[in-house]
Amino acid sequence: MKANLKKLPKLFLSAFLISAVTFGGGYVIVTFFKKKYVDEYKWIDEKEMLDLIAIAQASPGAIAVNGAIITGYKICGVLGAAAVLATILPPFIIIAAVSVAYNAFKDNRVVAAMLQGMQAGVAAVIASVSYDMAVDVFKEKSPSSIIIMAGAFTASCFFNVNAVYIVLACIAIGICKALWQRRHKKNDLS
């Protein structure tokens, strides 16, 4: 546990900096968490990070906050969950500062153009994350995972099914799959 506590300042600072410079919401922040904690620091492996992201998505609340709590807890235990504070402080500070000068910003063309440019960047980051996650699913070579992914994509993009229903359906499928595998494993052991 002491080794994990040594990671706490680095965890807090990295979560703070990621949150301070990231625009686009939770999915973008989670992407940077993955790059920092999996690729750079190697504190979590990629499959485990995908599982943590799934838990963060399925939990009520903002995915950035849930992701910070879950990854912080995984890396440094209960104290690591304080990474949520590092994640919410920058937006809080920025929103407080912007709210003071809101009237000056609301009709500014430069600010409006900058925000439109950020939307394009956010779309690119989300597309990159989606591609990386899809590649990981195909690497597993699990036909059921590929079918679930394709079904979720189709439901969302072509039939405009609410993401909440897709997540709930995927949870139900995951539970059924786990129960089936457990039952199948018991039968093999008998």
Side-chain angles (χ1 to χ4, degrees):
M1 187 63 158
K2 287 185 180 182
N4 286 344
L5 289 179
K6 289 181 180 179
K7 295 176 184 176
L8 191 58
K10 200 171 187 178
L11 171 71
F12 188 89
L13 182 62
S14 62
F16 184 89
L17 292 174
I18 288 169
S19 181
V21 299
T22 306
F23 292 91
Y27 292 105
V28 178
I29 288 176
V30 167
T31 302
F32 284 101
F33 281 174
K34 182 227 176 252
K35 288 181 182 184
K36 185 64 79 174
Y37 304 141
V38 174
D39 301 337
E40 187 177 332
Y41 295 157
K42 302 198 184 320
W43 288 343
I44 305 172
D45 66 46
E46 193 159 345
K47 184 176 183 341
E48 197 169 28
M49 187 68 188
L50 287 173
D51 292 342
L52 296 175
I53 292 169
I55 293 168
Q57 287 175 319
S59 302
I63 188 169
V65 172
N66 294 342
I69 292 169
I70 292 170
T71 54
Y73 180 79
K74 176 64 184 165
I75 294 166
C76 294
V78 173
L79 291 177
V84 72
L85 183 60
T87 303
I88 63 173
L89 271 176
F92 177 76
I93 293 166
I94 291 167
I95 289 171
V98 169
S99 68
V100 171
Y102 174 72
N103 287 331
F105 286 121
K106 73 177 183 178
D107 295 326
N108 188 315
R109 289 182 183 176
V110 174
V111 172
M114 184 178 71
L115 291 174
Q116 280 186 322
M118 282 192 232
Q119 286 178 344
V122 168
V125 170
I126 290 173
S128 173
V129 171
S130 299
Y131 174 78
D132 290 343
M133 292 176 82
V135 167
D136 290 338
V137 169
F138 280 105
K139 281 181 183 176
E140 285 182 17
K141 297 181 181 174
S142 166
S144 63
S145 295
I146 293 170
I147 291 168
I148 292 168
M149 180 184 69
F153 176 80
T154 303
S156 176
C157 290
F158 298 114
F159 297 107
N160 294 324
V161 176
N162 189 316
V164 172
Y165 299 128
I166 295 171
V167 170
L168 291 174
C170 289
I171 289 170
I173 292 168
I175 290 170
C176 292
K177 185 177 175 183
L179 292 173
W180 182 82
Q181 287 174 339
R182 186 179 297 164
R183 183 176 296 162
H184 191 63
K185 194 180 271 187
K186 283 183 183 178
N187 291 340
D188 288 345
L189 295 175
S190 306

